Amino acid sequence: MFPLVRLPCKLVCWTVCSLALLLGQGSALAAELRGQVVFGDQPVPGATVRITQRTKKFAAVTDQQGFYTIPELADGAGTIEIEMLCFVPIKESITVGPTVELAKWELKLLSIDQIRAELKPGLAPTITLPPAPVPTQAANGKNAAPVDAPPPPPSEDLSQRAADGLLINGSSNNAATSAYSLAQAFGNRRNGVKSLYNGGLSFILDHSALNARPFSITGQDTPKPALNRMTAGFTFGGPIRIPHLLRNGPNFFIAYEWTRNNTSTTQPALVPDARERVGDLSGKTNSAGQPLQIINPATGQPFAGNIVPVSAQAQALLNLYPLANFAGVSRYNYQAPLLSSTHQDALQTRLDKSIGRRNTVNGRFAFQSSRSSSSSIFGFTDKTNSFGINSAANWSHRFNSHWSTVAGYQFSRFSVDVAPFWKNRSDFSGQAGINGNNRDSVNWGPPTLNFVNIASLSDAQSSFNRSRSDGLTMTATWNHSPHNITIGGDFRRQSYNDLFQQDPRGTFTFTGLATQGTAPGTAPGTGSDFADFLLGIPDTSSIAFGNADKYLRQSVYDAYIADDWRITSTFTANIGLRWEYGAPITELKERLVNLDITQGFGQATPVLASAPKGQLTGQSYPTSLVRPD
């Protein structure tokens, strides 16, 4: 069983007002306005887009994919006009603001009669034929043979000249002569079908070959740590099109990153030397440089010659310590390179599809897998594997130029698996005669040893933790100058499945208190943490295990309303109200425990989620054993 702490629900209400005083007329401009012009879900390049706001007018031309961008528009109401030869013009009212989403405009084709009426003589295709040959007179007055005339242009040239004669302002045909000239290749605007797809490759190599050797804190000839890091990736995106099956599929984007890191670092430590391993602590000094005196806690008298007997458990644990590999330094006598590696794969994908002029659906999916390992001076190599998934699907609908809504679903899952060196390998504690700790194979290994002077011994704790979150969200936006009002709410269901023990192998701490001596007249500076360890007398010890698996559940709710109120061109008020509620956590197998307390805290007794009725008060509790506010 494990207890819960009361988590009250709080109502959060705030009003945030921001004052923006801008200098000059040009400073009161909002963000750029973007959109796309299509016909039958196909982009329309060369369409003219005009925005009118009071006495100011702005214009742009759609690119190869039908997109347009008009920067530096003032916030507020305006009118948009879209024109394209052979299509019905569009004229609608719009509201410009920083929260306005990407707009999509669907053109409608004119009838044949309307197209003929729209094609004025000045815009009709013109083809100029070469002049007819003119006969000449010879000297005798008779007609001479005609002079050779230039041959007529080939049919391909005629077609090209006809196309050149049809000058559409701003079109890709006439981009070079249009008032809104577009570069032949700029960004994603490229000629040909291949311009619809974009991608990239990357590779980064980081190596220690040119690194400087670090300073050695042990004074030894320390080799330069080895380092090898590689990161590679690619990106690719464009429309999904399958001939004869899927003509106008969604646009997609995919990105993948591959990482391989290997690092070697030199780690110094102080380990027991050959004399200390057999209990010979003669010649040792305390922190003040005085000869160390070790007291036998059983008799209260000093050990003769500071020779301390070694317990069987201590001898088994000493076998895990490496032998010293250099001398002459008081703080360190051992150093070794420690290897660590990280392998990671990450993928991100996105799909989006417009359905008509008013609906858009999009989704994203991402995962990350990581495998890492690290070693210690004791030769323990621990491994950690993690895997995460994050995905979402959203649908947006625009009712008119003022109302729009977005609904979405989110899903995420994350797991971490920690496998220590001793997991399923060997029951070291049982073989060494150390009793009382957990005997599950996933928790095999030595206990944790903490010292004041020498290196502490430890290994990672085995665990397998998983979390999951499912969320629903709904947002509605109303834009009407000068208000931009957003109303929304969210629901999230959270799950935490944890499989671990807090301290299954136990922890022992040695400070020298047991061999310090408390008899009157005992010299100061007595006692040794290592002597306490050899005798098997820890100063403090702890162990915790029992309820290994836990399946916690929680629901979270929120609702909000916010108004971005443009009072004037230089004054904006952001006003909002938000409510959040986190329900008390429950446990899937009803293994929570709390206290049933009488009035005045006179008596208390445990109450379980499996039987949530207090024995003292007779009150019935919810399965969370916590009553929310």
Side-chain angles (χ1 to χ4, degrees), residues 416-600:
V416 180
D417 185 7
V418 179
F421 173 81
W422 291 95
K423 179 180 179 180
N424 301 324
R425 183 184 296 267
S426 175
D427 184 10
F428 181 89
S429 293
Q431 297 169 3
I434 303 173
N435 301 316
N437 49 15
N438 188 270
R439 285 294 189 266
D440 292 339
S441 60
V442 295
N443 296 316
W444 280 348
T448 299
L449 305 180
N450 294 323
F451 295 93
V452 176
N453 297 310
I454 67 173
S456 298
L457 184 147
S458 64
D459 195 15
Q461 301 286 1
S462 176
S463 65
F464 183 36
N465 301 330
R466 294 89 66 206
S467 63
R468 170 176 172 171
S469 177
D470 296 82
L472 295 173
T473 181
M474 176 67 75
T475 303
T477 304
W478 180 66
N479 297 318
H480 190 278
S481 182
H483 295 279
N484 296 312
I485 298 178
T486 302
I487 304 173
D490 302 283
F491 168 76
R492 188 171 68 254
R493 181 66 175 175
Q494 302 178 149
S495 303
Y496 306 95
N497 299 337
D498 298 333
L499 180 59
F500 70 94
Q501 302 284 4
Q502 292 184 359
D503 189 10
R505 298 191 299 267
T507 301
F508 300 102
T509 302
F510 303 92
T511 62
L513 184 63
T515 55
Q516 182 175 345
T518 58
T522 302
T526 60
S528 166
D529 56 345
F530 188 69
D532 291 1
F533 163 70
L534 295 178
L535 294 172
I537 307 177
D539 299 319
T540 62
S541 62
S542 63
I543 194 168
F545 65 90
N547 220 12
D549 53 334
K550 311 158 189 70
Y551 305 95
L552 306 178
R553 303 291 185 268
Q554 185 186 31
S555 297
V556 180
Y557 312 82
D558 69 70
Y560 56 88
I561 180 172
D563 183 13
D564 182 21
W565 183 11
R566 310 299 175 89
I567 300 175
T568 66
S569 60
T570 58
F571 185 82
T572 301
N574 293 319
I575 304 173
L577 179 68
R578 183 180 180 91
W579 169 83
E580 294 185 4
Y581 171 67
I585 295 178
T586 61
E587 207 271 334
L588 189 62
K589 298 185 178 181
E590 298 182 341
R591 293 178 298 182
L592 299 180
V593 61
N594 208 336
L595 292 177
D596 182 41
I597 303 174
T598 60
Q599 188 174 5

Side-chain angles (χ1 to χ4, degrees), residues 167-199:
L167 301 181
I168 302 174
N169 188 28
S171 69
S172 56
N173 258 9
N174 192 30
T177 59
S178 167
Y180 309 106
S181 177
L182 298 176
Q184 290 299 310
F186 180 78
N188 292 334
R189 185 185 182 279
R190 300 180 181 90
N191 295 329
V193 178
K194 293 182 179 180
S195 64
L196 297 177
Y197 298 93
N198 294 277

Side-chain angles (χ1 to χ4, degrees), residues 14 30 72 78 135 157 166 231 239 307 311 339 342 349 383 461 493 503 516 603:
W14 73 91
E72 298 185 348
D157 185 44
L166 183 60
T231 302
I307 305 298
S311 64
L339 304 178
T342 300
T349 61
K383 298 181 179 180
Q461 301 286 1
R493 181 66 175 175
D503 189 10
Q516 182 175 345
Q603 292 180 291

